[in-house]
Amino acid sequence: MSASSPSASTATLNAPPKVAVMTSGGDSAGMNAAVRSVVKMAIFRGCQAYVIREGWEGLVRGNEEEQGEQSAAGVEQVKHGSNAAAAAAVAAAAEASSSTGFVPTYGEGELLKEGVSEAEELGLKGRYIVRVGWDDVRGWLDQGGTLIGTARCAAFRQQDGRLRAAHNLIKHGIDALAVCGGDGSLTGADRLRAEWPELVEKLQASQLISEAQAKRYAHLKIVGLVGSIDNDLAGTDLTIGAPTALSRICEAVDSISSTAASHSRAFVIEVMGRHCGWLALMAGLATGADYCFIPEQPPKGKWEDELCEVLQKHRQVGKRKTIVIVAEGAIDRELNDIKADDIKVVLSDRLGLDTRVTTLGHTQRGGRPVAADRILATLQGVEAVNALLEAKPSTPSYVITIRENKITRAPLMEAVAQTQLVAKRISEKDFDGALALRDPEFDECLRSFQFASKVAEEGDKLPKDKRLTMAIINVGAPAGGMNAATRTFVRYCHARGHRALAIHNGFTGLLEDNVTPLDWLRVDAWATRGGSELGTNRVLPSVDAGGVASKLQQHGIQALLVVGGFEAFLSVKELEERREQYPSFRIPIAAIPATLSNNVPLCEFSLGSDTSLNALVDACDAIKQSASASRNRVFVVETQGGKSGYLAVMGALAAGAVLVYTPEVGINLKMLGRDVDFLKKRFALDVAGKSEGRLVIRSERASEVYTTDFLTRMLKEEGGGQFDARSASLGHTLQGGTPSPLDRTRGTRLAVRCCEFLEEHAWKASAASSPSSSPYDREAQAHTAAIIAIIGSGVVFTSSRDMAKHADMKNRVGKGAWWQKCKDLVELMGGRRGLGGEDDK
Ligand code: ADP
């Protein structure tokens, strides 16, 4: 540790808060999006933003050649990418935005996009704590890994290392630190915070910091963002990087599946996860694998026997391929490792299968992040800065988490302790205890996998008097995940002994008697298929309610699962409304929302929306690349979505668009004037020759008058010599090809929940069947016609009646959808909020 004398001037001590962000431990996709979000939000909130390169290692090392005293305004000398024009533009921007208190630090940072990977050559050698400006994190959303570097740091595990880290933080006047990493990195963060008072005392005692510094930095503000591909942190449903890793695994397994089927082979695929089987389980669920080995739930008996029994049954019903997924930390109940090669030997020797092993290794770390990771990291980065700025000595340090769809904060210490407890429970052979510590979704997915992969014996099924005839129907436009839901429905029915009927081509198909039983094998490959295997259209039951009633009766349907978009909700509503008239509608009816528009009231996510977001992001990444290559181009991209701006807004957030137009807010002249003004200012701020292409996303129904073509021509005209404009319409490509793993697993999970709902209410109805003379109490039975919905941090059934109260029937959308506030965030991240674009609505 250097013994330089304390050197904080009053100016430094009074400077605006400095927020630093670092990435640590194993890299994961989405870390760059997290850094970008923290940097932008910190600047937006009036702080100075810093990055710490190379994780804890960088913090321990600090900057070898210390910079001189900082200026009173706390603005460092511009090192790279600055020129006189940019400096003048910065001053203009600062003036323009001074009324908002937000001073964007365009051009002030030390890393330009190109500079990060070549930081050494660009003069950052030996400098790990680096001031960054708004534009330094430009174009980071679509980059895999971490651009600011990560490392494993042995020194930080020792107190001396942490003392040096503390000294560096104080020396640089860093008030608050966001750490994005796995449980190891967050354990480190937790220790630093726990020891902080002691470290400050030591630094002051050895005169490395002044009394004033010790006072100002008496409390360390630190927050964790979980960047981990394993999804192993307790208290959060998803970690940054896990959805991308899952996507890479599923792409690989999908490819392997086709060759396995061609040769009738078995494949054993090893995926990452030492103490956590999330990747293995979700990949198993999403790809329709035959068997999964995860550390939290080893097979109950001898694994070799159980595995062979399951796979043999699959072969007996006619499967040509066998896919076994094994987590790298898989064990048996005696804690012996179960390795892919051991499994291969068993499959070859005992079942005579031609078996191959594939270890996916580092390909799983990700590369280009999927939409969910970009959005998760962006939302969590914003929350991290808010948590840091609100932190008080009395509040605990938080880790930013997500529960279903709610970004939340959990005490860092507890989350880390709970995570470590999982490994402890496993080592104590308390597997149920380990499972209980995982989030409820994990347990549900495990149950769903068991239903989806099991070939049940007669003795495993329900008693005959409990068995039902259940039917499934798709309505509306196709959406990713519909087929996964159908597959699970059929498998669930098979496992329980129910009769599974498929209604093809929606309600018109039902009226034409296009109803067939579906068996276990028929749906085997459906988990990965896009579109709707059953066939779907927009026709509602009201087309011929009497006919629909008689067909339900004719086929003896005792419970109905509807999968589709707004039409699914309307179908349930119409059937429920006619229950008094038609007794065959008095069956339990459940719906799973499935539409790329994500416009079903109250439901925060519908199947297919993730797939479509990925299709949008893929297209936008390519378009942005082209727009950037020509340096000064604005692309106006038109999306689908009807009267719902969901896809446009969340797509804009994930693709890094600077503006987004939605049907909810509409477009007006004043707005367009300000947007043009913003784009002009923004292009003027670009460092000469390093301008970036910019994306504007317009939802197809945002305005009848200000069409995509109009916007493009207007921007072209107004851009003058500064920027050019082009348009692209994504149309039906947004329905996506292969459904995303998140849509597939969600489809499976929600289908199991719906089947249980249907079962329960069908049994209750038959137990309570009233004499036909007494009138039907529609009110009392309203809850048995329901839509399953992800709301906040839970999955709930909402009756069609209640849902109708939250629907804007005219525009076919929900009232006040949660994502609408993300439009502001798009504009904040795009820089518009700082350039005078606040109040144009
Ligand atoms: P991950 O964050 O991905 O779980 P690691 O477990 O390797 O990765 O942790 C990353 C870094 O965090 C380590 O190299 C070390 O510097 C720090 N770290 C991990 N555990 C501790 C600990 N118990 N005390 C202090 N620092 C730790």
Side-chain angles (χ1 to χ4, degrees):
M1 182 180 296
S2 88
S4 59
S5 59
S7 63
S9 69
T10 325
T12 308
L13 290 172
N14 292 334
K18 293 182 181 179
V19 174
V21 56
M22 65 185 240
T23 53
S24 168
D27 69 294
S28 66
M31 278 184 159
N32 293 319
V35 172
R36 170 185 181 266
S37 171
V38 170
V39 166
K40 290 194 168 193
M41 191 61 188
I43 295 172
F44 181 75
R45 300 271 323 246
C47 307
Q48 291 178 9
Y50 282 76
V51 292
I52 294 168
R53 300 172 50 223
E54 314 297 345
W56 293 122
E57 184 69 28
L59 195 58
V60 170
R61 289 189 183 203
N63 292 355
E64 280 161 18
E65 292 165 42
E66 289 303 335
Q67 298 294 296
E69 193 67 19
Q70 290 174 17
S71 72
V75 176
E76 285 181 283
Q77 205 54 39
V78 178
K79 284 205 76 169
H80 302 287
S82 172
N83 59 18
V90 168
E95 198 189 336
S97 60
S98 58
S99 59
T100 69
F102 162 45
V103 183
T105 49
Y106 300 104
E108 273 181 13
E110 300 187 61
L111 308 169
L112 276 182
K113 183 185 168 194
E114 295 84 345
V116 185
S117 53
E118 293 124 11
E120 307 291 295
E121 292 95 90
L122 281 165
L124 293 173
K125 192 168 170 48
R127 299 186 62 238
Y128 295 93
I129 302 173
V130 179
R131 170 83 188 273
V132 284
W134 191 270
D135 282 355
D136 286 324
V137 289
R138 191 167 86 186
W140 283 28
L141 265 180
D142 60 359
Q143 304 280 311
T146 163
L147 290 164
I148 58 173
T150 181
R152 300 229 145 80
C153 175
F156 194 76
R157 291 177 184 272
Q158 312 302 323
Q159 197 185 54
D160 187 50
R162 294 193 289 277
L163 192 63
R164 278 192 281 161
H167 186 210
N168 282 324
L169 281 172
I170 296 175
K171 231 168 28 177
H172 287 271
I174 307 289
D175 298 271
L177 178 62
V179 180
C180 182
D183 66 330
S185 305
L186 300 185
T187 306
D190 187 42
R191 288 189 77 173
L192 185 65
R193 153 105 187 208
E195 273 178 11
W196 189 257
E198 186 189 338
L199 299 176
V200 171
E201 208 178 293
K202 279 190 176 172
L203 290 170
Q204 196 189 346
S206 45
Q207 298 198 329
L208 287 164
I209 59 170
S210 68
E211 195 185 332
Q213 281 175 309
K215 209 164 152 212
R216 167 154 180 171
Y217 301 105
H219 163 57
L220 173 68
K221 296 175 176 177
I222 197 162
V223 69
L225 289 156
V226 202
S228 160
I229 66 164
D230 295 343
N231 203 23
D232 55 354
L233 198 96
T236 187
D237 289 354
L238 272 183
T239 57
I240 297 167
T244 303
L246 180 62
S247 287
R248 294 295 108 81
I249 294 171
C250 291
E251 279 161 23
V253 178
D254 289 350
S255 313
I256 288 171
S257 288
S258 56
T259 173
S262 308
H263 296 271
S264 192
R265 276 188 187 136
F267 272 87
V268 184
I269 300 161
E270 187 192 287
V271 302
M272 285 189 177
R274 248 170 286 147
H275 301 295
C276 183
W278 188 86
L279 283 175
L281 176 60
M282 295 299 156
L285 209 55
T287 60
D290 298 83
Y291 202 92
C292 273
F293 286 101
I294 58 170
E296 295 89 341
Q297 275 296 291
K300 297 265 184 312
K302 215 164 166 281
W303 68 263
E304 295 90 337
D305 296 344
E306 190 174 303
L307 174 70
C308 289
E309 192 192 332
V310 170
L311 299 189
Q312 216 156 16
K313 279 188 191 157
H314 288 183
R315 290 279 170 165
Q316 276 162 4
V317 293
K319 273 197 80 163
R320 274 181 63 79
K321 62 168 187 196
T322 300
I323 302 283
V324 176
I325 298 188
V326 54
E328 61 177 335
I331 42 174
D332 67 13
R333 294 219 159 224
E334 293 309 313
L335 309 183
N336 303 306
D337 289 343
I338 302 176
K339 290 290 170 202
D341 286 327
D342 306 333
I343 300 169
K344 176 185 166 164
V345 171
V346 171
L347 298 188
S348 306
D349 293 356
R350 290 185 41 182
L351 299 181
L353 294 175
D354 177 8
T355 309
R356 308 291 158 103
V357 169
T358 302
T359 303
L360 296 181
H362 282 81
T363 54
Q364 297 164 80
R365 287 235 165 255
R368 217 166 57 88
V370 297
D373 270 324
R374 302 179 191 200
I375 294 169
L376 181 67
T378 302
L379 296 177
Q380 292 198 340
V382 167
E383 182 67 5
V385 173
N386 290 338
L388 286 173
L389 297 183
E390 285 163 23
K392 306 242 167 2
S394 56
T395 51
S397 301
Y398 289 112
V399 59
I400 310 298
T401 57
I402 183 166
R403 283 295 180 90
E404 296 293 355
N405 188 35
K406 203 161 173 49
I407 304 285
T408 46
R409 302 175 190 177
L412 178 61
M413 222 168 67
E414 283 171 30
V416 169
Q418 281 244 328
T419 304
Q420 289 166 347
L421 210 53
V422 175
K424 186 162 176 285
R425 293 268 186 277
I426 292 174
S427 69
E428 293 163 349
K429 303 183 192 170
D430 176 6
F431 300 107
D432 290 339
L435 201 59
L437 289 167
R438 294 266 177 249
D439 59 84
E441 184 194 343
F442 191 95
D443 191 29
E444 255 179 47
C445 286
L446 189 59
R447 264 177 350 106
S448 303
F449 182 76
Q450 282 153 359
F451 278 122
S453 60
K454 189 172 173 181
V455 176
E457 300 283 350
E458 187 58 25
D460 303 332
K461 298 181 178 175
L462 290 167
K464 288 222 160 75
D465 61 341
K466 292 265 181 198
R467 297 184 193 175
L468 304 162
T469 296
M470 309 221 284
I472 185 164
I473 187 168
N474 289 174
V475 285
M482 272 184 160
N483 297 323
T486 309
R487 177 181 189 267
T488 307
F489 169 84
V490 171
R491 293 282 171 93
Y492 184 94
C493 288
H494 171 88
R496 305 282 278 170
H498 304 308
R499 192 162 157 254
L501 289 183
I503 300 172
H504 302 273
N505 304 338
F507 285 99
T508 37
L510 177 64
L511 292 169
E512 289 158 5
D513 270 334
N514 201 344
V515 181
T516 56
L518 279 180
D519 67 23
W520 194 95
L521 189 62
R522 176 85 179 77
V523 294
D524 194 49
W526 287 19
T528 57
R529 290 197 193 156
S532 162
E533 289 288 323
L534 295 182
T536 184
N537 58 48
R538 295 187 187 276
V539 175
L540 296 175
S542 51
V543 65
D544 177 3
V548 169
S550 87
K551 291 296 172 189
L552 289 179
Q553 193 175 22
Q554 179 191 321
H555 293 283
I557 294 168
Q558 294 166 286
L560 179 66
L561 178 59
V562 188
V563 185
F566 205 81
E567 289 83 1
F569 152 61
L570 293 178
S571 301
V572 179
K573 183 170 168 291
E574 285 187 8
L575 294 172
E576 194 277 332
E577 283 167 355
R578 290 168 173 77
R579 275 177 163 176
E580 275 157 5
Q581 200 178 349
Y582 300 110
S584 60
F585 294 168
R586 296 174 192 170
I587 55 174
I589 307 164
I592 301 178
T595 161
L596 63 85
S597 310
N598 203 24
N599 60 341
V600 180
L602 288 178
C603 307
E604 295 179 1
F605 282 106
S606 51
L607 298 186
S609 55
D610 185 60
T611 303
S612 296
L613 271 181
N614 281 313
L616 177 74
V617 163
D618 287 349
C620 284
D621 281 357
I623 290 170
K624 204 168 177 189
Q625 204 172 54
S626 143
S628 292
S630 45
R631 298 286 181 234
N632 59 352
R633 184 161 288 173
V634 177
F635 252 100
V636 183
V637 177
E638 185 181 287
T639 68
Q640 285 194 331
K643 283 279 192 181
S644 163
Y646 170 82
L647 200 54
V649 169
M650 299 316 277
L653 198 62
V658 290
L659 295 169
V660 58
Y661 298 107
T662 62
E664 288 82 359
V665 176
I667 306 179
N668 61 49
L669 259 188
K670 190 173 161 203
M671 187 188 284
L672 291 179
R674 283 181 181 247
D675 289 347
V676 167
D677 204 37
F678 154 68
L679 285 170
K680 284 182 174 172
K681 281 185 192 156
R682 191 52 274 233
F683 275 97
L685 286 167
D686 285 339
V687 173
K690 292 203 166 167
S691 182
E692 177 193 40
R694 286 180 169 102
L695 281 183
V696 171
I697 296 191
R698 180 187 172 281
S699 193
E700 59 183 355
R701 308 269 302 270
S703 163
E704 298 282 319
V705 177
Y706 303 115
T707 60
T708 300
D709 183 51
F710 174 92
L711 284 185
T712 312
R713 284 191 290 127
M714 179 198 73
L715 290 174
K716 208 175 169 119
E717 175 74 16
E718 295 289 331
Q722 251 188 322
F723 56 87
D724 179 24
R726 291 276 197 284
S727 66
S729 177
L730 301 181
H732 282 78
T733 57
L734 292 178
Q735 285 180 1
T738 308
S740 75
L742 289 186
D743 276 334
R744 301 187 214 169
T745 52
R746 209 174 267 154
T748 299
R749 186 160 72 101
L750 297 183
V752 168
R753 286 283 289 265
C754 284
C755 288
E756 288 170 342
F757 171 92
L758 293 174
E759 242 178 18
E760 182 197 326
H761 289 293
W763 292 335
K764 269 192 196 153
S766 62
S769 60
S770 48
S772 52
S773 54
S774 60
Y776 178 69
D777 187 352
R778 207 186 120 208
E779 190 71 35
Q781 294 303 316
H783 64 286
T784 66
I787 294 91
I788 192 166
I790 294 172
I791 301 178
S793 57
V795 177
V796 291
F797 283 92
T798 306
S799 72
S800 55
R801 283 192 187 196
D802 284 344
M803 189 163 272
K805 293 179 196 147
H806 298 268
D808 168 352
M809 290 293 189
K810 184 166 155 268
N811 290 313
R812 296 164 52 87
V813 289
K815 291 180 193 160
W818 65 273
W819 49 264
Q820 287 183 20
K821 61 182 185 299
C822 292
K823 182 178 184 311
D824 288 344
L825 190 57
V826 169
E827 291 172 0
L828 191 159
M829 291 284 150
R832 181 177 183 274
R833 297 293 300 276
L835 293 174
E838 276 72 22
D839 56 350
D840 55 3
K841 286 157 209 161

